[in-house]
Amino acid sequence: MTVNDIRSQTREELDAQFKLWEQPAYRVTQLLKWLYEHRATTWDAMTNLPKPLREQLARHYGLRALELVRKQGARDTTQKFLWRLHDQSLIESVLIPANPALYGDPTDRHTLCVSTQVGCAYGCKFCASGLDGWKRNLGVEEIVEQVLAVERWHAAESLKVELAPVPPDGATPVETDNAKREISSGARLINNLVIMGMGEPLANYDNLLKALRILNAPWGGGIGARKITISTSGLVPQIRKLAAEPLQFRLAVSLHGATDDVRNQIMPVNRKYPLRELTSACEDYQKKNGRMITFEYILIAGINDDLRQIKPLAELAHRLNAKVNLIPYNTVEGLSWQRPAEAVQEAFIKALVTHGVTATLRREKGHDIDAACGQLRLRTERELSDAMKS
Ligand code: SAH
Ligand code: SF4
């Protein structure tokens, strides 16, 4: 009987199972290499495992790859992936390459933004993910597989580059060397993870934490805990729980307002966990974790872009040793919210900096591909349902 997908299992769990099956321990190492280095999607691909063992694994575990339904790439090469799950639900991941010109870093640094739920129950008024409510939590393997599937896609793309004809001027295509390295060594593409896709990650706490342990493990995804940022709309008990975890991830809090008045208007979660409680949990996290928290602050015209927010926002940022990420709002089909004019955005960040706050303004990447969470799924679901009607 298939109990679980194999990518939901830790090394310890696999060790225990293989022991029961009287298999030598090195077989687990071989299996893990197939899963996380070669990103295999079939048991048959695992050629150095004996056939009876492969059959036993196939009877016992699932091994299902995400199905790519749609991919969008922005001009600046941010890539957005829409995946179909086994129950036909749709989720998204976004791949954001670091801009070498910006960071002066020649190595390939890529950030992947992953989803943790189908839909979202928290219903922030401005957000596409919550528009159709919450459907279900993602399983451990569905979180892990987003990373593997994007890396698989990238390796296949690199292969295309490698096989592409040499340009007429005889120059080597730039990506060729990287492509070769990636395919032959199974090198990792993604070294930064942000848990900011669809869903409220801390509402799927156990699956998320297990997936992150697998993605962090040297035998798994190999992504450093400090390179993993969890974004939350402000679930106080879970922030406190996260603070006590042995693995110390980075925390981003979606603030979007520095007073309860503003937050209550746009984020229903604030009625359950008002700012006083949220900031106290953040303080606890910051003390235990010792790292800077990030406040995400979407700038929405006429809602939270008033300079009266600056003083309370600066106070919170100072108290919690937090930096502020200002993000101009991405318009969502069917919602009337707008981003403020650029001059207003610039005035807002200038005022924050004048108050001594470390702040950045995302001069949007990926606006043209609906980079904010949930938007590609929303559009695709609407198109599908229109197609059914016609
Ligand atoms: N539920 C979590 C993580 C997913 S949302 C959270 O709320 O933090 C990730 C981020 O995208 C949040 O900061 C969210 O407020 C922001 N976001 C949602 N819709 C957006 C939009 N239309 N434009 C810009 N940012 C948006
Ligand atoms: Fe859910 Fe985050 Fe969107 Fe709010 S912003 S509805 S918590 S996904």
Side-chain angles (χ1 to χ4, degrees):
M1 184 192 68
T2 307
V3 280
N4 273 315
D5 189 286
I6 191 93
R7 274 93 26 101
S8 70
Q9 302 293 294
T10 61
R11 176 169 206 140
E12 294 69 33
E13 286 169 326
L14 292 171
D15 280 339
Q17 185 60 57
F18 273 49
K19 213 167 167 188
L20 275 179
W21 287 343
E22 297 177 352
Q23 288 288 338
Y26 71 89
R27 292 286 184 213
V28 174
T29 309
Q30 288 176 319
L31 170 66
L32 291 171
K33 268 185 188 290
W34 283 112
L35 294 175
Y36 297 102
E37 269 185 34
H38 304 293
R39 307 163 194 114
T41 54
T42 64
W43 302 108
D44 282 343
M46 304 182 186
T47 43
N48 62 357
L49 298 184
K51 197 148 192 284
L53 175 58
R54 278 186 263 152
E55 285 167 358
Q56 195 164 24
L57 283 165
R59 277 195 302 276
H60 201 77
Y61 295 108
L63 175 59
R64 228 183 320 222
L66 293 179
E67 182 197 339
L68 184 60
V69 187
R70 204 164 173 178
K71 194 188 73 66
Q72 281 184 328
R75 283 187 300 274
D76 56 8
T77 73
T78 294
Q79 312 277 331
K80 189 156 187 166
F81 301 80
L82 185 72
W83 311 106
R84 195 188 331 266
L85 308 178
H86 61 86
D87 65 350
Q88 308 302 311
S89 297
L90 299 173
I91 57 160
E92 298 174 18
S93 320
V94 183
L95 181 66
I96 311 147
N99 182 342
L102 247 164
Y103 297 97
D105 185 348
T107 57
D108 263 338
R109 292 186 306 135
H110 284 76
T111 299
L112 188 71
C113 173
V114 301
S115 295
T116 52
Q117 300 185 309
V118 182
C120 183
Y122 286 81
C124 301
K125 301 275 169 52
F126 48 80
C127 175
S129 291
L131 272 185
D132 292 334
W134 176 85
K135 194 164 164 198
R136 69 171 173 89
N137 281 335
L138 294 190
V140 176
E141 71 284 359
E142 290 168 326
I143 300 172
V144 171
E145 171 61 9
Q146 289 174 63
V147 174
L148 298 177
V150 168
E151 293 195 327
R152 220 176 273 131
W153 167 86
H154 185 264
E157 288 296 301
S158 306
L159 193 61
K160 282 187 207 156
V161 173
E162 196 181 1
L163 298 176
V166 174
D169 60 2
T172 319
V174 191
E175 289 174 59
T176 303
D177 283 350
N178 276 345
K180 274 190 198 136
R181 228 180 306 129
E182 214 137 51
I183 290 155
S184 54
S185 69
R188 303 249 70 104
L189 167 74
I190 292 153
N191 44 10
N192 269 301
L193 213 54
V194 291
I195 319 300
M196 289 189 189
M198 194 190 305
E200 168 48 56
L202 296 187
N204 186 11
Y205 191 94
D206 292 342
N207 288 352
L208 172 70
L209 265 279
K210 191 172 184 194
L212 293 185
R213 278 196 285 275
I214 292 171
L215 288 169
N216 167 257
W219 50 260
I223 305 171
R226 292 172 190 182
K227 306 280 181 153
I228 299 177
T229 303
I230 302 174
S231 175
T232 179
S233 58
L235 271 55
V236 166
Q238 287 91 331
I239 292 175
R240 292 190 186 282
K241 199 167 159 194
L242 194 64
E245 292 285 345
L247 276 178
Q248 299 280 288
F249 303 108
R250 287 181 185 272
L251 184 68
V253 174
S254 294
L255 202 65
H256 311 328
T259 56
D260 282 324
D261 272 358
V262 170
R263 272 194 119 229
N264 283 342
Q265 252 189 72
I266 51 180
M267 301 179 75
V269 69
N270 196 66
R271 296 189 187 270
K272 192 157 184 200
Y273 304 117
L275 272 172
R276 192 175 34 80
E277 286 179 39
L278 175 59
T279 49
S280 145
C282 290
E283 225 162 13
D284 193 38
Y285 191 91
Q286 209 276 326
K287 275 195 199 114
K288 291 214 174 91
N289 190 285
R291 315 200 148 270
M292 222 180 195
I293 289 181
T294 304
F295 285 147
E296 305 284 335
Y297 196 106
I298 314 176
L299 286 166
I300 311 176
I303 300 291
N304 63 1
D305 59 345
D306 192 302
L307 291 180
R308 273 177 304 191
Q309 287 293 302
I310 297 291
K311 197 162 168 272
L313 182 55
E315 272 168 20
L316 284 180
H318 286 309
R319 205 176 99 213
L320 295 170
N321 184 26
K323 69 169 186 194
V324 177
N325 256 351
L326 297 171
I327 307 147
Y329 181 65
N330 256 306
T331 45
V332 173
E333 262 172 64
L335 297 180
S336 57
W337 314 82
Q338 294 293 330
R339 60 171 58 182
E342 265 173 41
V344 177
Q345 300 173 22
E346 296 293 343
F348 201 90
I349 187 167
K350 198 166 163 230
L352 267 184
V353 173
T354 308
H355 277 73
V357 175
T358 310
T360 55
L361 171 63
R362 200 184 297 166
R363 289 159 179 104
E364 274 296 285
K365 275 189 175 188
H367 186 53
D368 46 344
I369 59 155
D370 302 337
C373 60
Q375 297 191 47
L376 185 59
R377 166 191 179 244
L378 186 73
R379 173 127 51 82
T380 306
E381 286 197 331
R382 285 184 179 165
E383 282 170 14
L384 286 175
S385 96
D386 287 351
M388 305 271 274
K389 279 183 219 143
S390 58

